[in-house]
Structure formats: structure tokens, C-alpha cells
Amino acid sequence: MRALSSFCKASGLAMNNAKSEIFFNGVPEDIREGIKQVTGFREGTMPFRYLGVPIKAGRLTKKECSTLTENMVARIRGMGAKKLSYAGRVTLINAILNTLQNYWAQMFIIPKSIINHIMAIYRNFIWDGSPDYHRVPVVAWDKVTLPKKEGGLGIKKADVWNIATVDWHNYSPPADATWVWKNICKVKENLKDGFHDSKWTMSPKGYSIKGGYDWLAPDQTTLNWTAIVWNNWNIPKHSLTTWLRMHEGMNVKSKLFRFGCCADDWCVLRQRQPETVDHLFTSCVYSWKIKVAMFNAYHYFIWFQRNNARINDWLQRPEVVAVRIKDDIKRRVKQKCRAVVDQSDLLWLQNVVLV
């Protein structure tokens, strides 16, 4: 108590005894009562929450970790996320939801059931704008969680990220450590081959969470189309639409017809041919008239016009669509040119102008 008093005088931070708790382990009852009388603290019970996370000596249960997924669901429902595009939802996951998970992941090995629930929330949110399951995913989750250069969306696998966040190399827990602590310490075994002479071989700067994640994640082949799809000059919703096309994730009429969701499989862009992905983006006459536009903008606007034709039964003239594409790209270039542009982006833009 003298130490706490000295800290208060030095820092100006006063402790509220009435809101403070003290925890005992193996202390006789009479000594407990004496300590509580001297300190004015009330005795707390395990588990308790500190800075929003559960603190306990034993195994964390699904119920005790449910706050994490509840906070994720609350963020989704409270931000009008249903109205976001696919690209907006991916951005929200990486910028906000993954931050919530990362906060917990640096302190605990999150129970597998919660990890699975987090992945389900991410998956449902991307494809339907809701944390609940309403729609069948159009692209396999194993592909979604790949890095962008390998054909994915760059969303981190929650279980692998959890392991990467709590690693350290030269530490062993004492024999009397709690289950939680021992479980966390097991993580380093997953990464021990990444160290050489106690140095992290993935980077000369030492261990990083991203380096650990890349070490644990399976290495895939870099695909030749990813640099075009995910270039910084592209509008995100255009890139996401192209990405769906590359993974055959679009619900064209040929696919819907097989499941009995529509009366026929004719192309809705006024072409008497079956509407497949290849037809819609390659051989459809209407599509050919718009192909002078940029690669990613082309995929986005064709898909937009196709949905308008199917749902609202109207089409814009190809000339009008081309103008809209040019306007969108022009605005994007102006927006990027206000910011700091690196040499690779300038080279990419020069190549586009030459084409």
C-alpha cells in the first residue's frame, strides 16, 4: 500500500479502493481478512474481465470468449454494412474486425470453436453483408484466405494468425504454470524451424507477426493476373468483381438454371445464347462493344448491366456505359495523383496510356 501511495504522489493517478479487487491463491482465511481490512479492497473471483478480455488460470471456455464475436457482430450491424460492396466488406474485415481479433490473439490461444465462429462471421459478411449464414459462398474459403498475389483476398486465417502473434523463441514455462500459459508457450514449437542461431531467418530485422504468419501459411504459386486485378490504380469494387470472375464465382444464368432458380439460361443482354461466364465476358456482342475500356472497369460494368437487365429489365447503350467507365477511371487517376505516387504506379499508368 505504501508503494501504491508513492506511485500516486509521483504520477497524480489516484486509485479507487472501492472499485479495486484483490485475488488470493492458497492464502489462509484469517490472513485474507487481515489483508482486505488493511487495503480496503474487496475479494474478487475468477474469471474476471480486464480491458475487455477474460482473466483466469484455467482453460478459456467458448462462453467466456463470446465477447469477441459479439463485438464483431455489433460492429457489422452498427455500420450499415449490408449496403457495402464486396470490396467494402473486405476492407472492413481487414481494417476493423481483424483488429478486434488481433487484440485477443496477442494474449490468448483462442478456443477452436471461437476461431471457427470468427471465420464464419467473415465468410457470411463478405457474401451477404450479414454475420449470419444466408447465402452459399461463391468462392471457396481456402482461396479467399490466400494472399492477393496467389489469387486470394488477403484475409488472414484466424488460427494461423493467432499462433503467429504469440511466438517467442528462447522461453520455457515453469512446471507449475497455468494451463493457459503452457498452451501459449506451445506455440513456439510451430515456428522453431524458422529460427537459426536464435535469429528469425525470415527478416534481418527480427521476428514480426506478419513474418510468422507467412512462415506458417502454405506457400502457393503467384498467379499472373493478380498484378492487374489488385493494382493500386484500380477502383476496389472493380477489382473484386474481376476477382470473382477469375474464380468463377458469379451466379450467371447457366449456373442458376441448373439449380432451378430461373426459367431458362439465355443471356439477359439480349443475346440468344446460354449465359455462361465465358459468353458474358468474351463472346457476347453487347460485351464486345464495351471492351475498349479498362480491364477491371470492364468486368464491373458488364456485371452491373447484366444485373440491371435481369432485375430491372433495362439496359444502357454501350456508348453510355463506355463514357461512365472513362469517367470513373478519370476520377480514380485524379484521386491517385493527389497522393504520393511511387515509380511502379507511374510506370503502370504510362503502359496503360500507350495501350
Side-chain angles (χ1 to χ4, degrees), residues 199-268:
K199 295 181 179 179
W200 179 243
T201 56
M202 295 286 288
S203 171
K205 296 181 179 180
Y207 181 79
S208 67
I209 296 175
K210 182 181 182 303
Y213 182 87
D214 292 341
W215 174 267
L216 292 167
D219 189 21
Q220 303 289 331
T221 303
T222 299
L223 301 179
N224 56 11
W225 52 263
T226 57
I228 299 174
V229 173
W230 299 117
N231 191 282
N232 286 337
W233 288 93
N234 297 331
I235 297 173
K237 61 184 179 182
H238 297 176
S239 296
L240 211 297
T241 303
T242 307
W243 180 84
L244 283 174
R245 183 263 171 100
M246 301 306 291
H247 284 293
E248 299 184 355
M250 292 177 164
N251 289 324
V252 290
K253 286 187 69 177
S254 60
K255 182 188 294 186
L256 297 175
F257 182 68
R258 290 200 303 269
F259 292 100
C261 298
C262 54
D264 59 68
D265 63 351
W266 295 120
C267 175
V268 299

Side-chain angles (χ1 to χ4, degrees), residues 119 140-147 152-157 213:
M119 291 291 93
W141 190 246
D142 286 343
K143 292 182 179 179
V144 173
T145 54
L146 290 173
L153 292 180
I155 294 177
K156 301 293 189 295
K157 296 180 180 178
Y213 182 87

Side-chain angles (χ1 to χ4, degrees), residues 32-250:
R32 290 190 186 196
E33 293 301 323
I35 292 175
K36 288 190 288 184
Q37 184 176 359
V38 170
T39 61
F41 299 155
R42 65 177 183 271
E43 184 174 353
T45 57
M46 302 282 274
F48 64 94
R49 291 192 174 275
Y50 179 70
L51 298 179
V53 298
I55 305 297
K56 64 180 296 187
R59 182 190 298 266
L60 290 174
T61 66
K62 179 180 179 180
K63 182 178 180 180
E64 290 161 350
C65 294
S66 61
T67 301
L68 172 57
T69 52
E70 289 171 359
N71 287 341
M72 289 182 173
V73 170
R75 291 294 182 93
I76 291 174
R77 299 194 192 281
M79 299 184 67
K82 183 75 174 179
K83 299 179 181 179
L84 292 175
S85 65
Y86 285 144
R89 295 168 194 170
V90 172
T91 300
L92 185 62
I93 288 176
N94 289 329
I96 298 180
L97 300 188
N98 191 61
T99 301
L100 295 175
Q101 173 205 332
N102 191 47
Y103 177 65
W104 283 60
Q106 294 185 68
M107 293 179 279
F108 307 111
I109 297 298
I110 301 172
K112 187 175 181 179
S113 59
I114 297 296
I115 289 289
N116 291 337
H117 192 189
I118 291 172
M119 291 291 93
I121 290 173
Y122 287 1
R123 183 173 58 250
N124 297 337
F125 177 53
I126 288 176
W127 302 124
D128 193 49
S130 166
D132 305 313
Y133 179 81
H134 293 132
R135 292 183 60 186
V136 177
V138 296
V139 178
W141 190 246
D142 286 343
K143 292 182 179 179
V144 173
T145 54
L146 290 173
K148 287 184 176 180
K149 66 180 182 179
E150 296 170 5
L153 292 180
I155 294 177
K156 301 293 189 295
K157 296 180 180 178
D159 53 345
V160 179
W161 187 258
N162 193 180
I163 293 173
T165 57
V166 296
D167 179 72
W168 59 95
H169 185 52
N170 293 316
Y171 177 82
S172 297
D176 60 348
T178 65
W179 175 90
V180 172
W181 189 243
K182 287 181 178 178
N183 200 34
I184 291 176
C185 293
K186 288 180 182 178
V187 167
K188 68 186 181 69
E189 296 300 319
N190 294 282
L191 291 167
K192 65 181 181 181
D193 292 336
F195 288 88
H196 181 68
D197 293 335
S198 298
K199 295 181 179 179
W200 179 243
T201 56
M202 295 286 288
S203 171
K205 296 181 179 180
Y207 181 79
S208 67
I209 296 175
K210 182 181 182 303
Y213 182 87
D214 292 341
W215 174 267
L216 292 167
D219 189 21
Q220 303 289 331
T221 303
T222 299
L223 301 179
N224 56 11
W225 52 263
T226 57
I228 299 174
V229 173
W230 299 117
N231 191 282
N232 286 337
W233 288 93
N234 297 331
I235 297 173
K237 61 184 179 182
H238 297 176
S239 296
L240 211 297
T241 303
T242 307
W243 180 84
L244 283 174
R245 183 263 171 100
M246 301 306 291
H247 284 293
E248 299 184 355
M250 292 177 164

